[in-house]
Amino acid sequence: MPLYEHVYLARQDASAQQVEELTAQLKGVVEGLGGSITKSEYWGVKSLSYRLQKNRKAHFTLMNIDAPPPAINEIERLERLNEDVLRYLTIRVEELEEGPSAMMRRVDRDRDRDDRRGDRFDRGDRFDRGDRGDRGDRPRDRRPRDDAEGGETATEE
């Protein structure tokens, strides 16, 4: 059977539970038509590059599907009818990716980076400069504002 990667975007107003229920419904349709979903990943709510039907964010979900073409046609038909689905994309692939997708690896990498970095705002030495001993005492020979412009001051007469 052909292999597919299928991603759909659901409205930001929908709850994560509703998105999971939609994924389960689509999985049931695929299995009913003789296919299987080998992997399903919920990527979370992400910002969109541009507004889609007045939505600035959307729930992203990826499914790796091993199914005949009529199963793909049916889930795409159901997604067109569902008001919560903003967009979908199905791509036929030669082989399905094992392990986490690139989006999930990025989330893990970002989480690891944040763990290594720690809370940057806990570092008191960043914001409390205190005594700057390396500068030494500087002479403060500033002239009054009127003298800086070359004019005479009111006290000289």
Side-chain angles (χ1 to χ4, degrees):
M1 274 190 277
L3 304 173
Y4 301 94
E5 287 185 0
H6 180 80
V7 177
Y8 73 90
L9 282 60
R11 290 183 321 135
Q12 65 185 2
D13 299 340
S15 67
Q17 182 181 3
Q18 289 173 314
V19 174
E20 292 297 326
E21 289 172 2
L22 177 59
T23 302
Q25 177 189 0
L26 297 175
K27 183 177 182 178
V29 169
V30 169
E31 290 173 351
L33 293 172
S36 65
I37 294 184
T38 58
K39 177 173 66 172
S40 174
E41 290 181 354
Y42 174 68
W43 292 344
V45 178
K46 300 202 175 294
S47 295
L48 299 172
S49 297
Y50 53 90
R51 293 196 317 184
L52 295 175
Q53 300 173 10
K54 299 183 181 179
N55 290 286
R56 295 183 184 274
K57 295 183 177 189
H59 295 269
F60 285 66
T61 304
L62 165 79
M63 296 186 294
N64 285 348
I65 303 173
D66 181 8
I72 301 302
N73 291 340
E74 180 62 18
I75 64 170
E76 288 181 351
R77 186 186 73 80
L78 290 173
E79 288 174 336
R80 277 194 299 273
L81 295 174
N82 193 328
E83 293 178 358
D84 288 337
V85 176
L86 299 173
R87 291 280 194 278
Y88 60 87
L89 176 68
T90 306
I91 299 174
R92 185 172 177 180
V93 294
E94 293 298 321
E95 63 182 73
L96 295 174
E97 185 178 346
E98 295 296 323
S101 65
M103 290 293 287
M104 295 304 279
R105 287 193 305 263
R106 191 183 101 203
V107 168
D108 291 341
R109 184 189 69 223
D110 292 347
R111 190 178 307 121
D112 291 344
R113 185 188 66 216
D114 291 343
D115 290 344
R116 283 193 312 268
R117 187 178 290 169
D119 269 343
R120 296 197 124 195
F121 297 107
D122 286 346
R123 296 172 58 183
D125 59 338
R126 285 281 196 160
F127 300 106
D128 182 26
R129 296 190 181 244
D131 180 29
R132 304 279 307 258
D134 59 329
R135 291 189 175 189
D137 291 332
R138 291 186 177 178
R140 304 277 184 198
D141 60 335
R142 293 189 174 191
R143 295 179 284 171
R145 192 83 164 141
D146 293 333
D147 288 344
E149 295 173 3
E152 293 185 21
T153 60
T155 57
E156 295 178 15
E157 283 188 28

